Amino acid sequence: MITGKTKTVGILGYPVGHSLSPLMHNAAFNALELDYIYVPLPVEPDHLGQAVAGLKAMGVVGANVTIPHKVTIIPYLDELDRSAQLAGAVNTIVIRKGRCIGYNTDVQGFVQSLTAKNITIKGKNAVIMGAGGAARAVVCGLIEQGIDQIIIGTRNNLKAQEFVKLFPTGTHIQGCDWQKAMFIDAIRQCDIFINCTPLGMSTNNEVALPINWQDVKSNATVCDLIYNPPMTQFLTDAQSRGHMVINGASMLVEQGALAFELWTGETAPRNIMCEVLAKF
Ligand code: NAP
């Protein structure tokens, strides 16, 4: 029951109608009988600064931050935790004593989605499609776990080149246009192949990812950060060629659980969060 004491958290994004986070978090609050509510907060990019000021003014406890605000929200925050500083992107905010602090729980969420399936990261090669906020978190997680080499493929080579400059010199990370020979060479050698673009989301009817599956190393693990739908065309194609596939659901649960713990100080009921997602 919502009362005058109920604490509010939510999800800032645009659009947010596809998000399963409200279902997952409200189920978790109910399971632990915590007096919190999680609401969708659709905010157009031009209104992001006003929205952050509004959350502080209204005493909102915190929020998740999703596409397209993960990087652009940073100038509106008062402080960044180390996870967000390293990733250069924010997926969770906590508002304490009127100060808005940015965190990035996607980093550990992604790592956990691989380690839960016993995928080794140390010493391996990864190829990532996309160079947005989620890709930054994925790269941070892979580096932290000792990946050997990362190739970033994008539709726009300039964006790939800008992206790789975000990481310390000495990091084995290179960028390229995903239509070029360098990308084809990379997928021939990759152990972990990850889609970090929104291509394949249920809300996205645009072009498919440009993959020739004959070029992909036969025993590569194939991951898609998308969780809605659970099996994108990218994962369906990979599975039909015998690849192990991992969708974004386990990352969603872990990043959400870590955010829940930041807002409430309670251990998140991960099993409940998984169960509610499995129904969709
Ligand atoms: P973002 O910051 O907007 O970045 C999106 C990236 O995809 C950019 O590199 C962008 O390239 C590229 N892209 C977008 N539309 C494209 C198109 N039509 N053709 C080719 N490339 C395109 O988004 P994000 O926050 O990184 O999120 C990416 C995806 O990961 C989303 O589907 C999101 O839901 C998912 N995600 C899932 C989880 C989880 O917990 N499972 C967590 C985080 C994110 P340009 O710069 O050229 O536009």
Side-chain angles (χ1 to χ4, degrees), residues 29 35-36 52 66 85 101 123 138 143 147 245 250 263 265 274 279:
F29 293 142
D35 193 8
Y36 284 72
V52 173
T66 190
Q85 283 174 21
I101 306 157
V138 166
I143 292 173
I147 195 89
V245 300
S250 53
W263 299 321
C274 282
K279 292 183 191 151

Side-chain angles (χ1 to χ4, degrees), residues 18 66-68 70-71 106 130-135 154-156 159 178 195-199 201 204 206-207 225-227 248-249 251-253 255:
H18 68 280
T66 190
I67 196 168
K70 285 185 176 177
V71 176
D106 282 337
T154 59
R155 60 177 165 181
N156 176 339
K159 289 212 174 154
W178 65 32
N195 175 33
C196 290
T197 78
L199 287 175
M201 278 173 85
N204 192 318
E206 296 174 68
V207 286
L225 263 52
I226 295 170
Y227 54 84
M251 175 175 174
L252 177 70
V253 169
Q255 64 75 31

Side-chain angles (χ1 to χ4, degrees), residues 134-260:
R136 292 187 191 206
V138 166
V139 168
C140 284
L142 292 173
I143 292 173
E144 187 190 279
Q145 296 295 313
I147 195 89
D148 189 39
Q149 180 160 296
I150 303 172
I151 303 291
I152 305 291
T154 59
R155 60 177 165 181
N156 176 339
N157 184 37
L158 276 179
K159 289 212 174 154
Q161 299 310 326
E162 287 304 312
F163 182 89
V164 301
K165 286 186 203 152
L166 296 168
F167 298 92
T169 44
T171 309
H172 294 167
I173 177 169
Q174 290 175 275
C176 64
D177 179 331
W178 65 32
Q179 303 281 6
K180 294 283 159 70
M182 181 176 167
F183 184 76
I184 295 164
D185 281 349
I187 59 176
R188 286 194 177 120
Q189 294 167 41
C190 83
D191 303 298
I192 309 171
F193 188 21
I194 311 151
N195 175 33
C196 290
T197 78
L199 287 175
M201 278 173 85
S202 52
T203 50
N204 192 318
N205 296 318
E206 296 174 68
V207 286
L209 287 162
I211 313 293
N212 184 351
W213 286 96
Q214 283 165 344
D215 292 330
V216 180
K217 188 174 170 184
S218 60
N219 62 351
T221 300
V222 177
C223 312
D224 200 326
L225 263 52
I226 295 170
Y227 54 84
N228 186 10
M231 284 296 283
T232 55
Q233 193 62 50
F234 180 65
L235 291 188
T236 305
D237 292 346
Q239 195 172 51
S240 72
R241 297 192 72 89
H243 293 277
M244 174 189 255
V245 300
I246 301 176
N247 72 13
S250 53
M251 175 175 174
L252 177 70
V253 169
E254 188 59 25
Q255 64 75 31
L258 295 169
F260 181 101

Side-chain angles (χ1 to χ4, degrees), residues 3-107:
T3 70
K5 293 181 185 156
T6 303
K7 293 179 179 152
T8 307
V9 290
I11 179 162
L12 280 172
Y14 197 78
V16 290
H18 68 280
S19 176
L20 299 181
S21 292
L23 284 169
M24 183 174 77
H25 283 287
N26 286 318
F29 293 142
N30 285 339
L32 297 193
E33 297 183 1
L34 295 176
D35 193 8
Y36 284 72
I37 185 167
Y38 188 106
V39 294
L41 300 167
V43 174
E44 288 185 35
D46 287 350
H47 298 152
L48 186 57
Q50 289 163 279
V52 173
L55 296 181
K56 286 161 84 168
M58 290 186 291
V60 166
V61 172
N64 283 130
V65 182
T66 190
I67 196 168
H69 302 320
K70 285 185 176 177
V71 176
T72 50
I73 198 168
I74 289 175
Y76 303 112
L77 304 181
D78 299 301
E79 195 178 321
L80 291 184
D81 164 78
R82 187 168 175 273
S83 59
Q85 283 174 21
L86 287 175
V90 165
N91 82 323
T92 300
I93 57 175
V94 178
I95 302 172
R96 281 192 204 110
K97 296 181 183 161
R99 286 177 63 76
C100 196
I101 306 157
Y103 294 81
N104 195 310
T105 66
D106 282 337
V107 177

